[in-house]
């Protein structure tokens, strides 16, 4: 079922993220933490997790932890929206509204 698959995917994400202990994270600068978060979201996005894909889209849109890349941001927003992930649908609509308002 979809619910059990989501639970399994969440467990995989937690296992992946738990490799980085709190002590390790405390030793990193804020920029290093953001870059690490981007890498973690990338790994989770490759596994198809909508929240990770959505967060990665935001990272590409803002340039936090990655080089800014609006085309990649749009691609991740669209990919995640096709998964019916509501926050991505909202952000994609807002993004299109903002860009159409400016030409």
């Amino acid at each position: 079922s979809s619910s059990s698959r989501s639970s399994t995917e969440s467990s995989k994400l937690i296992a992946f993220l738990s490799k980085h202990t709190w002590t390790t994270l405390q030793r990193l600068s804020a920029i290093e933490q953001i870059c690490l978060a981007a890498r973690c979201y990338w790994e989770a996005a490759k596994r198809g997790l909508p929240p990770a894909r959505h967060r990665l889209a935001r990272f590409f849109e803002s340039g936090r932890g990655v080089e800014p890349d609006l085309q990649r941001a749009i691609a991740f927003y669209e990919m995640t929206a096709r998964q019916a992930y509501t926050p991505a649908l909202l952000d994609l609509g807002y993004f299109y509204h903002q860009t159409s308002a400016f030409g």
Side-chain angles (χ1 to χ4, degrees):
S1 79
S2 177
S3 176
S4 64
R5 190 182 84 192
S6 177
S7 176
T8 301
E9 290 171 349
S10 296
S11 296
K12 288 179 184 177
L13 177 59
I14 290 168
F16 176 80
L17 295 176
S18 68
K19 290 180 183 178
H20 303 286
T21 64
W22 179 248
T23 305
T24 302
L25 290 174
Q26 286 181 317
R27 286 185 267 146
L28 299 176
S29 70
I31 291 172
E32 290 171 324
Q33 288 178 12
I34 291 169
C35 290
L36 175 61
R39 286 194 303 270
C40 290
Y41 285 125
W42 182 261
E43 290 301 318
K46 288 192 311 189
R47 291 169 171 77
L49 297 174
R53 287 179 170 177
H54 177 243
R55 180 58 65 179
L56 205 51
R58 286 185 165 189
F59 276 37
F60 280 119
E61 183 178 358
S62 68
R64 290 190 60 158
V66 296
E67 288 293 319
D69 187 335
L70 289 180
Q71 293 305 314
R72 285 182 107 175
I74 292 168
F76 274 101
Y77 280 134
E78 289 176 341
M79 184 184 324
T80 310
R82 282 192 298 274
Q83 291 178 284
Y85 187 65
T86 304
L89 290 164
L90 293 170
D91 283 349
L92 184 62
Y94 181 76
F95 182 81
Y96 282 142
H97 174 74
Q98 289 296 104
T99 55
S100 68
F102 295 106

